[in-house]
mmCIF file of all heavy atoms in Angstrom:
data_model
loop_
_atom_site.group_PDB
_atom_site.id
_atom_site.type_symbol
_atom_site.label_atom_id
_atom_site.label_comp_id
_atom_site.label_asym_id
_atom_site.label_seq_id
_atom_site.Cartn_x
_atom_site.Cartn_y
_atom_site.Cartn_z
ATOM 1 N N TYR A 100 -53.260 63.176 -14.108
ATOM 2 C CA TYR A 100 -53.463 62.246 -15.225
ATOM 3 C C TYR A 100 -53.312 62.895 -16.594
ATOM 4 O O TYR A 100 -53.323 62.181 -17.618
ATOM 5 C CB TYR A 100 -54.852 61.620 -15.128
ATOM 6 C CG TYR A 100 -55.048 60.721 -13.922
ATOM 7 C CD1 TYR A 100 -56.082 60.938 -13.018
ATOM 8 C CD2 TYR A 100 -54.198 59.646 -13.699
ATOM 9 C CE1 TYR A 100 -56.263 60.111 -11.921
ATOM 10 C CE2 TYR A 100 -54.372 58.817 -12.606
ATOM 11 C CZ TYR A 100 -55.403 59.046 -11.717
ATOM 12 O OH TYR A 100 -55.576 58.225 -10.636
ATOM 13 N N ASN A 101 -53.169 64.212 -16.639
ATOM 14 C CA ASN A 101 -53.067 64.884 -17.935
ATOM 15 C C ASN A 101 -51.765 64.529 -18.643
ATOM 16 O O ASN A 101 -50.709 64.420 -18.016
ATOM 17 C CB ASN A 101 -53.147 66.408 -17.755
ATOM 18 C CG ASN A 101 -54.488 66.852 -17.192
ATOM 19 O OD1 ASN A 101 -55.454 66.087 -17.163
ATOM 20 N ND2 ASN A 101 -54.543 68.096 -16.745
ATOM 21 N N ARG A 102 -51.856 64.342 -19.942
ATOM 22 C CA ARG A 102 -50.692 64.017 -20.780
ATOM 23 C C ARG A 102 -49.985 62.758 -20.273
ATOM 24 O O ARG A 102 -48.760 62.715 -20.122
ATOM 25 C CB ARG A 102 -49.707 65.192 -20.842
ATOM 26 C CG ARG A 102 -50.308 66.527 -21.219
ATOM 27 C CD ARG A 102 -50.925 66.561 -22.608
ATOM 28 N NE ARG A 102 -49.944 66.403 -23.670
ATOM 29 C CZ ARG A 102 -50.234 66.483 -24.973
ATOM 30 N NH1 ARG A 102 -51.498 66.695 -25.357
ATOM 31 N NH2 ARG A 102 -49.303 66.333 -25.876
ATOM 32 N N THR A 103 -50.762 61.738 -19.991
ATOM 33 C CA THR A 103 -50.191 60.440 -19.618
ATOM 34 C C THR A 103 -50.696 59.386 -20.593
ATOM 35 O O THR A 103 -51.755 59.547 -21.201
ATOM 36 C CB THR A 103 -50.591 60.031 -18.190
ATOM 37 O OG1 THR A 103 -52.018 59.882 -18.122
ATOM 38 C CG2 THR A 103 -50.147 61.067 -17.168
ATOM 39 N N ILE A 104 -49.947 58.304 -20.718
ATOM 40 C CA ILE A 104 -50.375 57.226 -21.608
ATOM 41 C C ILE A 104 -50.995 56.089 -20.802
ATOM 42 O O ILE A 104 -50.717 55.930 -19.608
ATOM 43 C CB ILE A 104 -49.205 56.672 -22.455
ATOM 44 C CG1 ILE A 104 -48.148 55.999 -21.566
ATOM 45 C CG2 ILE A 104 -48.599 57.753 -23.316
ATOM 46 C CD1 ILE A 104 -47.133 55.185 -22.343
ATOM 47 N N CYS A 105 -51.859 55.347 -21.448
ATOM 48 C CA CYS A 105 -52.336 54.090 -20.882
ATOM 49 C C CYS A 105 -51.320 53.036 -21.323
ATOM 50 O O CYS A 105 -51.219 52.722 -22.519
ATOM 51 C CB CYS A 105 -53.742 53.769 -21.382
ATOM 52 S SG CYS A 105 -54.988 54.929 -20.773
ATOM 53 N N HIS A 106 -50.558 52.543 -20.367
ATOM 54 C CA HIS A 106 -49.341 51.805 -20.696
ATOM 55 C C HIS A 106 -49.533 50.320 -20.927
ATOM 56 O O HIS A 106 -48.635 49.648 -21.405
ATOM 57 C CB HIS A 106 -48.321 51.992 -19.570
ATOM 58 C CG HIS A 106 -48.785 51.488 -18.236
ATOM 59 N ND1 HIS A 106 -49.566 52.244 -17.393
ATOM 60 C CD2 HIS A 106 -48.600 50.294 -17.608
ATOM 61 C CE1 HIS A 106 -49.817 51.557 -16.295
ATOM 62 N NE2 HIS A 106 -49.260 50.368 -16.400
ATOM 63 N N ARG A 107 -50.721 49.797 -20.572
ATOM 64 C CA ARG A 107 -50.874 48.342 -20.651
ATOM 65 C C ARG A 107 -52.250 47.942 -21.174
ATOM 66 O O ARG A 107 -53.270 48.440 -20.703
ATOM 67 C CB ARG A 107 -50.658 47.728 -19.260
ATOM 68 C CG ARG A 107 -50.712 46.209 -19.234
ATOM 69 C CD ARG A 107 -50.596 45.693 -17.811
ATOM 70 N NE ARG A 107 -50.575 44.227 -17.763
ATOM 71 C CZ ARG A 107 -50.780 43.507 -16.670
ATOM 72 N NH1 ARG A 107 -51.021 44.109 -15.526
ATOM 73 N NH2 ARG A 107 -50.748 42.185 -16.727
ATOM 74 N N LEU A 108 -52.240 47.023 -22.125
ATOM 75 C CA LEU A 108 -53.460 46.400 -22.634
ATOM 76 C C LEU A 108 -53.299 44.897 -22.480
ATOM 77 O O LEU A 108 -52.269 44.338 -22.873
ATOM 78 C CB LEU A 108 -53.678 46.761 -24.099
ATOM 79 C CG LEU A 108 -54.929 46.184 -24.768
ATOM 80 C CD1 LEU A 108 -56.187 46.860 -24.234
ATOM 81 C CD2 LEU A 108 -54.852 46.328 -26.288
ATOM 82 N N THR A 109 -54.279 44.245 -21.878
ATOM 83 C CA THR A 109 -54.230 42.793 -21.773
ATOM 84 C C THR A 109 -55.414 42.200 -22.525
ATOM 85 O O THR A 109 -56.540 42.684 -22.411
ATOM 86 C CB THR A 109 -54.282 42.320 -20.307
ATOM 87 O OG1 THR A 109 -55.485 42.755 -19.703
ATOM 88 C CG2 THR A 109 -53.110 42.887 -19.523
ATOM 89 N N THR A 110 -55.130 41.157 -23.296
ATOM 90 C CA THR A 110 -56.157 40.525 -24.119
ATOM 91 C C THR A 110 -56.189 39.017 -23.909
ATOM 92 O O THR A 110 -56.500 38.259 -24.816
ATOM 93 C CB THR A 110 -55.927 40.847 -25.619
ATOM 94 O OG1 THR A 110 -54.633 40.370 -26.014
ATOM 95 C CG2 THR A 110 -56.013 42.343 -25.872
ATOM 96 N N TYR A 111 -55.834 38.587 -22.701
ATOM 97 C CA TYR A 111 -55.959 37.172 -22.371
ATOM 98 C C TYR A 111 -57.440 36.761 -22.449
ATOM 99 O O TYR A 111 -58.336 37.601 -22.293
ATOM 100 C CB TYR A 111 -55.455 36.905 -20.949
ATOM 101 C CG TYR A 111 -53.975 37.101 -20.750
ATOM 102 C CD1 TYR A 111 -53.500 38.211 -20.070
ATOM 103 C CD2 TYR A 111 -53.058 36.154 -21.207
ATOM 104 C CE1 TYR A 111 -52.145 38.398 -19.859
ATOM 105 C CE2 TYR A 111 -51.703 36.330 -21.013
ATOM 106 C CZ TYR A 111 -51.247 37.452 -20.329
ATOM 107 O OH TYR A 111 -49.906 37.628 -20.129
ATOM 108 N N PRO A 112 -57.709 35.472 -22.625
ATOM 109 C CA PRO A 112 -59.119 35.046 -22.643
ATOM 110 C C PRO A 112 -59.878 35.416 -21.373
ATOM 111 O O PRO A 112 -61.084 35.672 -21.412
ATOM 112 C CB PRO A 112 -59.022 33.519 -22.805
ATOM 113 C CG PRO A 112 -57.716 33.305 -23.502
ATOM 114 C CD PRO A 112 -56.798 34.368 -22.966
ATOM 115 N N THR A 113 -59.179 35.462 -20.221
ATOM 116 C CA THR A 113 -59.858 35.741 -18.962
ATOM 117 C C THR A 113 -59.503 37.108 -18.379
ATOM 118 O O THR A 113 -59.925 37.426 -17.268
ATOM 119 C CB THR A 113 -59.527 34.671 -17.915
ATOM 120 O OG1 THR A 113 -58.098 34.604 -17.742
ATOM 121 C CG2 THR A 113 -60.043 33.308 -18.367
ATOM 122 N N LEU A 114 -58.738 37.904 -19.087
ATOM 123 C CA LEU A 114 -58.375 39.231 -18.576
ATOM 124 C C LEU A 114 -58.275 40.201 -19.750
ATOM 125 O O LEU A 114 -57.349 40.125 -20.559
ATOM 126 C CB LEU A 114 -57.048 39.181 -17.832
ATOM 127 C CG LEU A 114 -56.596 40.511 -17.206
ATOM 128 C CD1 LEU A 114 -57.609 40.988 -16.159
ATOM 129 C CD2 LEU A 114 -55.213 40.378 -16.573
ATOM 130 N N LYS A 115 -59.232 41.118 -19.819
ATOM 131 C CA LYS A 115 -59.290 42.060 -20.927
ATOM 132 C C LYS A 115 -59.481 43.462 -20.364
ATOM 133 O O LYS A 115 -60.611 43.907 -20.129
ATOM 134 C CB LYS A 115 -60.432 41.676 -21.876
ATOM 135 C CG LYS A 115 -60.236 40.291 -22.527
ATOM 136 C CD LYS A 115 -61.364 39.950 -23.465
ATOM 137 C CE LYS A 115 -61.188 38.556 -24.069
ATOM 138 N NZ LYS A 115 -60.023 38.458 -24.954
ATOM 139 N N VAL A 116 -58.345 44.132 -20.131
ATOM 140 C CA VAL A 116 -58.392 45.448 -19.493
ATOM 141 C C VAL A 116 -57.370 46.385 -20.125
ATOM 142 O O VAL A 116 -56.366 45.952 -20.700
ATOM 143 C CB VAL A 116 -58.127 45.358 -17.972
ATOM 144 C CG1 VAL A 116 -59.097 44.396 -17.313
ATOM 145 C CG2 VAL A 116 -56.695 44.942 -17.673
ATOM 146 N N LEU A 117 -57.656 47.679 -19.975
ATOM 147 C CA LEU A 117 -56.711 48.737 -20.326
ATOM 148 C C LEU A 117 -56.300 49.399 -19.021
ATOM 149 O O LEU A 117 -57.148 49.808 -18.235
ATOM 150 C CB LEU A 117 -57.373 49.759 -21.244
ATOM 151 C CG LEU A 117 -56.515 50.970 -21.633
ATOM 152 C CD1 LEU A 117 -55.386 50.563 -22.572
ATOM 153 C CD2 LEU A 117 -57.377 52.060 -22.279
ATOM 154 N N GLN A 118 -54.983 49.496 -18.803
ATOM 155 C CA GLN A 118 -54.473 50.058 -17.549
ATOM 156 C C GLN A 118 -53.824 51.409 -17.803
ATOM 157 O O GLN A 118 -53.045 51.573 -18.755
ATOM 158 C CB GLN A 118 -53.472 49.099 -16.911
ATOM 159 C CG GLN A 118 -53.039 49.504 -15.509
ATOM 160 C CD GLN A 118 -52.316 48.393 -14.779
ATOM 161 O OE1 GLN A 118 -52.644 47.212 -14.957
ATOM 162 N NE2 GLN A 118 -51.346 48.732 -13.947
ATOM 163 N N CYS A 119 -54.143 52.371 -16.936
ATOM 164 C CA CYS A 119 -53.680 53.747 -17.083
ATOM 165 C C CYS A 119 -53.296 54.299 -15.707
ATOM 166 O O CYS A 119 -53.397 53.606 -14.700
ATOM 167 C CB CYS A 119 -54.783 54.630 -17.671
ATOM 168 S SG CYS A 119 -55.702 53.943 -19.080
ATOM 169 N N GLY A 120 -52.861 55.557 -15.681
ATOM 170 C CA GLY A 120 -52.682 56.246 -14.416
ATOM 171 C C GLY A 120 -51.268 56.411 -13.928
ATOM 172 O O GLY A 120 -51.059 56.892 -12.811
ATOM 173 N N ASP A 121 -50.267 56.042 -14.738
ATOM 174 C CA ASP A 121 -48.867 56.200 -14.356
ATOM 175 C C ASP A 121 -48.218 57.247 -15.252
ATOM 176 O O ASP A 121 -48.000 56.989 -16.440
ATOM 177 C CB ASP A 121 -48.136 54.865 -14.483
ATOM 178 C CG ASP A 121 -46.634 54.993 -14.321
ATOM 179 O OD1 ASP A 121 -46.173 56.044 -13.831
ATOM 180 O OD2 ASP A 121 -45.915 54.038 -14.664
ATOM 181 N N PRO A 122 -47.882 58.424 -14.721
ATOM 182 C CA PRO A 122 -47.259 59.456 -15.557
ATOM 183 C C PRO A 122 -45.929 59.042 -16.182
ATOM 184 O O PRO A 122 -45.525 59.606 -17.193
ATOM 185 C CB PRO A 122 -47.056 60.618 -14.582
ATOM 186 C CG PRO A 122 -48.113 60.441 -13.554
ATOM 187 C CD PRO A 122 -48.202 58.944 -13.384
ATOM 188 N N THR A 123 -45.260 58.044 -15.600
ATOM 189 C CA THR A 123 -43.988 57.604 -16.188
ATOM 190 C C THR A 123 -44.203 56.682 -17.380
ATOM 191 O O THR A 123 -43.277 56.447 -18.161
ATOM 192 C CB THR A 123 -43.119 56.867 -15.153
ATOM 193 O OG1 THR A 123 -43.678 55.564 -14.877
ATOM 194 C CG2 THR A 123 -42.992 57.663 -13.861
ATOM 195 N N GLY A 124 -45.399 56.114 -17.508
ATOM 196 C CA GLY A 124 -45.684 55.208 -18.621
ATOM 197 C C GLY A 124 -45.018 53.858 -18.503
ATOM 198 O O GLY A 124 -45.007 53.082 -19.460
ATOM 199 N N THR A 125 -44.472 53.534 -17.319
ATOM 200 C CA THR A 125 -43.738 52.279 -17.144
ATOM 201 C C THR A 125 -44.519 51.237 -16.360
ATOM 202 O O THR A 125 -44.135 50.071 -16.320
ATOM 203 C CB THR A 125 -42.423 52.539 -16.396
ATOM 204 O OG1 THR A 125 -42.729 53.007 -15.064
ATOM 205 C CG2 THR A 125 -41.580 53.581 -17.122
ATOM 206 N N GLY A 126 -45.580 51.657 -15.686
ATOM 207 C CA GLY A 126 -46.298 50.762 -14.803
ATOM 208 C C GLY A 126 -45.750 50.769 -13.394
ATOM 209 O O GLY A 126 -46.227 50.030 -12.522
ATOM 210 N N GLU A 127 -44.743 51.592 -13.132
ATOM 211 C CA GLU A 127 -44.113 51.637 -11.811
ATOM 212 C C GLU A 127 -44.355 52.956 -11.079
ATOM 213 O O GLU A 127 -44.011 53.086 -9.902
ATOM 214 C CB GLU A 127 -42.603 51.399 -11.936
ATOM 215 C CG GLU A 127 -42.256 50.034 -12.532
ATOM 216 C CD GLU A 127 -40.764 49.812 -12.640
ATOM 217 O OE1 GLU A 127 -39.998 50.726 -12.259
ATOM 218 O OE2 GLU A 127 -40.364 48.725 -13.100
ATOM 219 N N GLY A 128 -44.934 53.944 -11.740
ATOM 220 C CA GLY A 128 -45.112 55.254 -11.127
ATOM 221 C C GLY A 128 -46.428 55.380 -10.381
ATOM 222 O O GLY A 128 -47.410 54.713 -10.701
ATOM 223 N N GLY A 129 -46.415 56.261 -9.370
ATOM 224 C CA GLY A 129 -47.620 56.487 -8.588
ATOM 225 C C GLY A 129 -47.639 57.883 -8.004
ATOM 226 O O GLY A 129 -46.813 58.732 -8.347
ATOM 227 N N PRO A 130 -48.553 58.149 -7.060
ATOM 228 C CA PRO A 130 -48.740 59.507 -6.535
ATOM 229 C C PRO A 130 -47.907 59.825 -5.294
ATOM 230 O O PRO A 130 -48.028 60.915 -4.736
ATOM 231 C CB PRO A 130 -50.226 59.523 -6.190
ATOM 232 C CG PRO A 130 -50.495 58.131 -5.732
ATOM 233 C CD PRO A 130 -49.608 57.237 -6.576
ATOM 234 N N GLY A 131 -47.103 58.861 -4.827
ATOM 235 C CA GLY A 131 -46.317 59.111 -3.622
ATOM 236 C C GLY A 131 -47.070 58.818 -2.345
ATOM 237 O O GLY A 131 -46.618 59.160 -1.258
ATOM 238 N N TYR A 132 -48.215 58.151 -2.452
ATOM 239 C CA TYR A 132 -48.955 57.729 -1.269
ATOM 240 C C TYR A 132 -49.741 56.467 -1.613
ATOM 241 O O TYR A 132 -49.915 56.115 -2.786
ATOM 242 C CB TYR A 132 -49.903 58.828 -0.761
ATOM 243 C CG TYR A 132 -51.016 59.228 -1.700
ATOM 244 C CD1 TYR A 132 -52.215 58.517 -1.763
ATOM 245 C CD2 TYR A 132 -50.882 60.341 -2.538
ATOM 246 C CE1 TYR A 132 -53.242 58.891 -2.613
ATOM 247 C CE2 TYR A 132 -51.905 60.723 -3.399
ATOM 248 C CZ TYR A 132 -53.085 59.993 -3.434
ATOM 249 O OH TYR A 132 -54.101 60.362 -4.286
ATOM 250 N N SER A 133 -50.191 55.779 -0.582
ATOM 251 C CA SER A 133 -51.022 54.598 -0.771
ATOM 252 C C SER A 133 -52.211 54.690 0.188
ATOM 253 O O SER A 133 -52.226 55.513 1.105
ATOM 254 C CB SER A 133 -50.228 53.317 -0.501
ATOM 255 O OG SER A 133 -49.788 53.279 0.845
ATOM 256 N N TYR A 134 -53.182 53.824 -0.010
ATOM 257 C CA TYR A 134 -54.353 53.813 0.868
ATOM 258 C C TYR A 134 -55.029 52.450 0.796
ATOM 259 O O TYR A 134 -54.715 51.617 -0.058
ATOM 260 C CB TYR A 134 -55.321 54.943 0.530
ATOM 261 C CG TYR A 134 -55.871 54.921 -0.875
ATOM 262 C CD1 TYR A 134 -57.093 54.334 -1.151
ATOM 263 C CD2 TYR A 134 -55.173 55.499 -1.935
ATOM 264 C CE1 TYR A 134 -57.604 54.315 -2.434
ATOM 265 C CE2 TYR A 134 -55.672 55.493 -3.218
ATOM 266 C CZ TYR A 134 -56.885 54.897 -3.464
ATOM 267 O OH TYR A 134 -57.385 54.871 -4.743
ATOM 268 N N LYS A 135 -55.958 52.261 1.705
ATOM 269 C CA LYS A 135 -56.545 50.945 1.929
ATOM 270 C C LYS A 135 -57.451 50.490 0.785
ATOM 271 O O LYS A 135 -57.978 51.306 0.023
ATOM 272 C CB LYS A 135 -57.350 50.955 3.230
ATOM 273 C CG LYS A 135 -58.549 51.901 3.191
ATOM 274 C CD LYS A 135 -59.269 51.943 4.528
ATOM 275 C CE LYS A 135 -60.479 52.880 4.485
ATOM 276 N NZ LYS A 135 -61.174 52.950 5.782
#
Side-chain angles (χ1 to χ4, degrees):
Y100 294 124
N101 296 346
R102 308 298 294 184
T103 63
I104 65 168
C105 293
H106 61 276
R107 183 184 183 196
L108 180 71
T109 60
T110 59
Y111 293 106
T113 57
L114 182 61
K115 297 181 182 294
V116 304
L117 177 70
Q118 188 167 325
C119 316
D121 171 15
T123 72
T125 64
E127 299 180 0
Y132 64 84
S133 62
Y134 60 95
K135 64 183 180 181

